[in-house]
């Protein structure tokens, strides 16, 4: 397995093959539902992976990386430094006290899950003189272990509007759309209703808050990204299928 590979050439070769296979699977999923692969953005989830692996991925042309933990991500960002076109996305749960570090280090947030966090991110973005693109994380599955605005019951979607409207008015945040984490199933087909519901929520919000940009849907990971694309994902977050198993701590 990759974790035991020492040769940079060997590592690059494995990641290159995985990357090619994932791109082909994305293209095939798009073809099945008459979408262009160009509308799907790949975020390479680098959580738990070494800087060496990330550098291999950068050499192979990957440019958008997703991290789950603020400190781990910030350390990698500092170590890797400036690379043309490189973007770092925060995709994991954010504790309010780490909002400043998120603003300082990341180019986009997928996991904005409360009005309180939105206000803190906005405040620090204002101090940094930047506008931070964000996705609103919505828990459409109802799974209690998942973070996100409660959105599993369409009859309660009206309850979200006041907070979403307030977030949209924060001048240093720019809402770009929605994100969800589906439950893990051995059979990825079981995730389909979850992904479908997020797209339904997107349609609802486009109608109710038309002044906000709801273009992006971040959903789907290594185990289920093809189903997510078939249901309308514009961003998929894929780590293991490209970078291999994360090393055990």
């Amino acid at each position: 397995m990759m974790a035991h590979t020492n040769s940079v050439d060997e590592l690059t070769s494995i990641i290159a093959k995985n990357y090619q296979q994932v791109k082909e699977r994305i293209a095939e999923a798009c073809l099945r539902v008459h979408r262009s692969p160009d509308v799907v953005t790949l975020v390479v989830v680098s959580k738990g992976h070494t800087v060496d692996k990330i550098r291999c991925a950068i050499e192979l042309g990957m440019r958008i990386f997703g991290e789950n933990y603020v400190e781990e991500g910030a350390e990698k960002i500092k170590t890797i430094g400036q690379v043309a076109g490189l973007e770092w996305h925060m995709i994991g749960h954010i504790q309010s006290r780490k909002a400043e570090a998120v603003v300082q280090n990341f180019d986009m947030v997928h996991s904005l899950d409360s009005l309180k966090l939105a206000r803190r991110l906005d405040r620090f973005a204002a101090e940094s003189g930047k506008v931070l693109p964000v996705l609103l994380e919505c828990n459409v599955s109802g799974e209690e272990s998942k973070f996100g605005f409660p959105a599993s019951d369409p009859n309660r979607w009206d309850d979200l509007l006041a907070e979403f409207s307030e977030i949209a008015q924060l001048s240093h945040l720019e809402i770009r759309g929605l994100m969800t984490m589906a439950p893990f199933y051995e059979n990825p087909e079981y995730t389909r209703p979850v992904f479908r519901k997020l797209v339904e929520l997107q349609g609802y919000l486009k109608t109710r808050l038309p002044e906000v940009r709801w273009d992006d849907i971040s959903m789907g990971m290594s185990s289920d990204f093809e189903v997510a694309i078939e249901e309308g994902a514009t961003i998929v977050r894929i780590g293991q299928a490209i970078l291999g198993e994360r090393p055990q701590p």
Side-chain angles (χ1 to χ4, degrees):
M1 289 300 295
M2 243 163 54
H4 304 297
T5 300
N6 295 317
S7 157
V8 173
D9 289 344
E10 203 175 340
L11 193 59
T12 303
S13 170
I14 294 168
I15 294 173
K17 183 181 174 186
N18 291 345
Y19 182 42
Q20 187 58 38
Q21 287 176 343
V22 165
K23 287 198 293 185
E24 287 169 6
R25 288 168 65 188
I26 288 172
E28 287 163 8
C30 288
L31 194 62
R32 287 194 290 273
V33 289
H34 311 292
R35 299 179 70 198
S36 165
D38 296 340
V39 304
V40 178
T41 298
L42 170 62
V43 175
V44 180
V45 181
S46 46
K47 172 184 82 169
H49 290 290
T50 63
V51 167
D52 286 345
K53 268 193 193 178
I54 298 168
R55 284 194 171 121
C56 285
I58 292 170
E59 285 289 315
L60 291 164
M62 290 169 250
R63 284 294 178 271
I64 307 176
F65 293 87
E67 286 285 333
N68 288 61
Y69 304 111
V70 179
E71 290 93 341
E72 180 188 339
E75 187 64 33
K76 290 174 184 173
I77 291 163
K78 181 181 170 186
T79 302
I80 288 167
Q82 295 292 315
V83 176
L86 190 62
E87 290 183 25
W88 293 93
H89 292 197
M90 169 49 61
I91 62 176
H93 178 64
I94 302 168
Q95 296 167 301
S96 288
R97 62 190 175 85
K98 296 183 180 175
E100 185 173 14
V102 169
V103 169
Q104 287 170 347
N105 287 283
F106 291 90
D107 300 297
M108 184 170 181
V109 169
H110 290 228
S111 47
L112 176 50
D113 61 2
S114 72
L115 178 57
K116 177 187 174 186
L117 176 61
R119 287 173 176 153
R120 285 183 65 79
L121 290 171
D122 180 70
R123 187 180 111 207
F124 292 120
E127 288 174 8
S128 299
K130 67 191 278 188
V131 175
L132 182 67
V134 298
L135 302 174
L136 305 185
E137 181 176 0
C138 295
N139 181 348
V140 288
S141 69
E143 194 178 19
E144 288 186 11
S145 64
K146 295 282 188 282
F147 292 104
F149 290 95
S152 59
D153 181 0
N155 295 315
R156 305 292 300 274
W157 285 352
D158 282 356
D159 299 345
L160 301 170
L161 293 175
E163 286 190 332
F164 285 8
S165 180
E166 188 169 336
I167 293 169
Q169 289 164 35
L170 296 171
S171 58
H172 290 269
L173 299 184
E174 182 193 0
I175 297 175
R176 294 271 184 90
L178 304 172
M179 182 272 246
T180 201
M181 295 274 296
F184 175 78
Y185 296 111
E186 290 294 335
N187 182 349
E189 277 299 318
Y190 293 154
T191 59
R192 197 176 292 277
V194 176
F195 296 147
R196 194 165 287 169
K197 192 182 287 186
L198 190 70
V199 174
E200 288 170 6
L201 175 59
Q202 177 195 38
Y204 166 87
L205 291 168
K206 281 181 174 179
T207 305
R208 302 302 298 273
L209 296 171
E211 68 279 10
V212 180
R213 174 181 168 184
W214 299 108
D215 298 353
D216 279 319
I217 292 278
S218 172
M219 61 186 187
M221 300 191 290
S222 288
S223 59
D224 54 23
F225 68 89
E226 287 144 310
V227 174
I229 288 168
E230 288 170 6
E231 292 301 327
T234 65
I235 302 171
V236 290
R237 310 180 302 271
I238 302 175
Q240 194 169 307
I242 295 172
L243 299 179
E245 297 280 347
R246 282 192 296 274
Q248 293 304 310

